[in-house]
Amino acid sequence: MPNMRSKTKLLKIVILGDSGVGKTSLMERYVNQRFSQQYKATIGADFLSKDIELEDRMANLQIWDTAGQERYQSLGSAFYRGSDACVLVYDVTDLRSFESLETWREEFLAYAANRDPETFPLVVLGNKIDIVDRAKAVPTKRAQQWCAAKGGVPHFETSAAEDINVEAAFQLVATLALKRGEQEEEFFLPETVEINQNTAQEPCNC
Amino acid sequence: MDGLMRMGDMEADAVPEVALAPQGMEGALGDSLEEAFAGVTIGSDRYEPLADGEYDAVVLGTGLTECIMSGLLSVSGLKVLNVDRNQYYGGLSASLNLKQLFEKFKGVQVDPPESVFGKSRDYNVDLVPKFIMASGNMVNMLIYCDVAKYLDFKLVDGSFVFSGSRPHKVPVTPSEAMTSGLMGLLEKNRCRQFFSWVHFYDLEDESTWQKRDIRKVTMGEIYKYFGLQKDTIEFIGHSLALWRDESYIEQPALETVQKIKHYADSLARYGKSPYLYPLYGLGELPQSFARLSAVHGGTFMLGAAIDSVLYDSEGKACGVRAGNQAAKCKFVVGDHSYFPDKVQKKGKVVRCYCVLSSPPANTRDSNSCQIIIPARQTKTNRKSDIYVLVLSSAHKVAPEGKYIALVSTTVETDDPASELKPGLDLLGPIIDSFLAVDDMYEPASSGQADQCFITRSYDATTHFETAVDDVCDVYQRIFGKALDLSAPKPGSR
């Protein structure tokens, strides 16, 4: 682990948005190149990780799913701690999911970005453009305006089903996170200890 | 993130499988969505579905014990709904920011002046302050459930014991004993011999016993054998063995010797200190177990007021109701606040939360520490020790330059605030403080009869060992078998 740490940069990325906008699908598409037509509320997703090479640096992207806790706005502060970047997702066919971005952004910044919330790496994804012809509830322009008003947040329209823009969006997230991470290194970070099985002894005798 | 190690290994699938279903409950529910859309019928009443409307278990409250239970239940394959009346995780063991603290204890909606306190959100003040013993059962629980990866831990700087007129660093090794200002020269030597005896004592090897069988001889006799003085006995009993009163002295020495060894193991595990504490406060702990539960399908609803637990004709819990919504279940787990008529009071704890601008004197400028004031040192008749925990920005629970001191003890008089005075006197100037006197509760029955499994209040101890005991106890009551934290993890098979 310490060896890896010096060479590979660990980046925590959280993916946020209303239930059913396709957060898990986007992660699955990006990391595992998979897509399932069947919608299943997320159970069993924790985080997916992927090693990538960025500008001659190795990075281990850890993309954290909401594990369904967003359903009743019950994510909790711990989920956001230590994030290096955030992916905000809405469904282009569901206006309400777009309107929720405001709240998701505020909640995320409140817990994750103690410094410079205005410049914290965020990327907005409008997902499900593959079914956009039927009813496009969120016009591209409107989403772009919102992103511009939030300090020029990058905006992508994506499809996890048809693999449109997914790679590009996550690539940008990683780049932004890595940049911020490099600045962050100048700040003091507390020295933490590792708790794992190797250090475990003396099982519970209750 | 660089330099900041994430806990544990990073395998997303390394989660324990507790391969047992509770007695009389074969497996989890199937897909109950259809029924949920049709409404929920409980007894002769019909309700709108609360969340999915039907679960194996409903957990009320998101305190540490409840969230650990929720995680264990979900991992074992049960469908779990976890509800809390508050908008935040942690229930009675939450960590609050400064604004929430003012609201809770001063009853006012104010913005505490930033010029005095710094930013409100930089505070994470534990309602139930505790440290984690590095080789204690809380760490075993974190490893067993594989949730340490969600948290970052840091050592607590120092452990001190009040003796005479000031705190002294707690000596724990023979060499530390030799340099401690706590004892005179002769006493240091005796203490060193005692530590050495404890260190080498092996129940299997009679040659290490010095003719003392600790299963038979009392701790008092051991102290006498080594000729230890009162002050030494006090820090050994209260700061190392972590006894809360003197009754252990008349008991066989076995347990005390084990506790001292345990303390030494905790110290040895990471070096400088036997105590760990999570960055951002203890409120992060229940959330890590909540995530475990959610990853295994648990549903979480914060800010949901549960009006009542519903019972069937036999008086067994069969659901919970919130307004015109309800969720069916087979049993309910919850903290005492959700079962006012099913719990009994068992003493009180007084706690004072203080904001300081410098660490307490004589703590070697520690950015975090514990000071134990043994009851006898207060020169009163009190029986319970007084505990002081100090934390700071080093653990991200206060802004730079601010310190949080938490003074607590078991209430013994009609004037609990005054009982904390010996602790408060150590702190120096206090910018502001908040006082809480809480009744402690325990369930009036085991829960088998009514299928309501109620958790205990958190006591005044400064570590989590008793809280983990409660988890094990609730688990035993629900499943009828003990929770084995040493069970192999699936990843290691």
Side-chain angles (χ1 to χ4, degrees), chain B residues 91-103:
Chain B
L92 306 167
S93 57
S95 301
L96 302 185
N97 65 36
L98 198 62
K99 206 174 165 197
Q100 290 170 319
L101 210 61
F102 266 81
E103 259 173 62

Side-chain angles (χ1 to χ4, degrees), chain B residues 58-324:
Chain B
V58 172
V59 178
L60 301 174
T62 55
L64 180 61
T65 320
E66 293 77 54
C67 284
I68 297 178
M69 282 313 302
S70 176
L72 292 171
L73 294 171
S74 291
V75 168
S76 74
L78 298 184
K79 186 170 171 170
V80 180
L81 172 65
N82 204 315
V83 189
D84 195 304
R85 63 170 79 83
N86 296 316
Q87 284 293 349
Y88 49 82
Y89 279 95
L92 306 167
S93 57
S95 301
L96 302 185
N97 65 36
L98 198 62
K99 206 174 165 197
Q100 290 170 319
L101 210 61
F102 266 81
E103 259 173 62
K104 185 172 173 76
F105 293 112
K106 310 212 169 189
V108 284
Q109 288 253 9
V110 290
D111 285 313
E114 229 177 277
S115 56
V116 179
F117 294 99
K119 284 197 177 103
S120 164
R121 72 163 186 227
D122 287 342
Y123 286 85
N124 292 293
V125 181
D126 303 326
L127 292 179
V128 180
K130 283 176 188 293
F131 288 155
I132 298 170
M133 287 198 77
S135 44
N137 268 331
M138 189 64 219
V139 166
N140 290 332
M141 185 68 85
L142 289 163
I143 292 166
Y144 175 73
C145 292
D146 196 26
V147 299
K149 65 188 174 192
Y150 300 139
L151 303 160
D152 289 310
F153 294 92
K154 209 180 155 211
L155 286 175
V156 170
D157 251 10
S159 185
F160 296 83
V161 60
F162 186 89
S163 182
S165 59
R166 65 183 184 87
H168 296 264
K169 189 160 195 311
V170 176
V172 69
T173 61
S175 62
E176 271 190 343
M178 291 314 283
T179 55
S180 172
L182 210 52
M183 297 168 280
L185 196 62
L186 289 174
E187 184 68 357
K188 279 177 179 165
N189 223 351
R190 289 189 286 264
C191 186
R192 191 172 59 88
Q193 283 165 1
F194 170 76
F195 280 145
S196 174
W197 173 78
V198 169
H199 180 74
F200 290 109
Y201 199 102
D202 180 356
L203 278 175
E204 308 289 312
D205 180 1
E206 217 179 312
S207 72
T208 64
W209 295 4
Q210 297 186 23
K211 300 202 173 103
R212 263 121 199 112
D213 184 347
I214 53 174
R215 288 165 292 200
K216 296 184 181 129
V217 180
T218 67
M219 199 58 209
E221 287 171 81
I222 297 291
Y223 286 145
K224 215 164 148 193
Y225 170 68
F226 284 95
L228 297 177
Q229 292 171 354
K230 258 189 175 170
D231 284 354
T232 313
I233 291 173
E234 200 167 69
F235 88 71
I236 291 172
H238 294 251
S239 308
L240 303 185
L242 300 170
W243 292 111
R244 285 175 276 172
D245 57 41
E246 301 294 337
S247 57
Y248 78 96
I249 287 184
E250 301 308 317
Q251 300 297 317
L254 175 66
E255 203 178 340
T256 302
V257 168
Q258 281 174 337
K259 288 177 101 166
I260 297 168
K261 277 176 180 282
H262 183 66
Y263 187 95
D265 286 346
S266 287
L267 188 71
R269 188 178 271 197
Y270 298 112
K272 307 187 303 209
S273 163
Y275 296 111
L276 296 168
Y277 186 84
L279 295 188
Y280 303 106
L282 298 179
E284 308 287 293
L285 282 177
Q287 293 185 50
S288 68
F289 290 96
R291 182 165 171 92
L292 170 74
S293 178
V295 164
H296 285 79
T299 303
F300 283 81
M301 293 181 93
L302 297 182
I306 292 293
D307 296 308
S308 60
V309 175
L310 304 170
Y311 297 91
D312 66 13
S313 54
E314 293 170 30
K316 287 182 169 23
C318 62
V320 297
R321 180 181 69 84
N324 61 351

Side-chain angles (χ1 to χ4, degrees), chain B residues 466-480:
Chain B
T466 51
V468 177
D469 288 346
D470 191 34
V471 170
C472 294
D473 178 53
V474 175
Y475 188 94
Q476 170 93 41
R477 284 189 271 145
I478 294 173
F479 290 97

Side-chain angles (χ1 to χ4, degrees), chain A residues 44 46 71 74 78 193 199 206, chain B residues 7 89 150 269 291 295 472:
Chain A
D46 194 352
R71 188 170 156 202
S74 303
V193 294
T199 49
C206 53
Chain B
M7 298 298 107
Y89 279 95
Y150 300 139
R269 188 178 271 197
R291 182 165 171 92
V295 164
C472 294

Side-chain angles (χ1 to χ4, degrees), chain A residues 96-131:
Chain A
R96 193 184 286 181
S97 74
F98 173 71
E99 289 167 345
S100 297
L101 292 188
E102 191 76 47
T103 321
W104 287 122
R105 178 179 172 274
E106 275 169 26
E107 181 153 331
F108 176 81
L109 292 178
Y111 291 112
N114 274 317
R115 295 178 310 106
D116 319 329
E118 294 309 314
T119 61
F120 198 90
L122 299 174
V123 171
V124 169
L125 308 190
N127 193 34
K128 303 195 188 177
I129 51 163
D130 50 298
I131 44 176

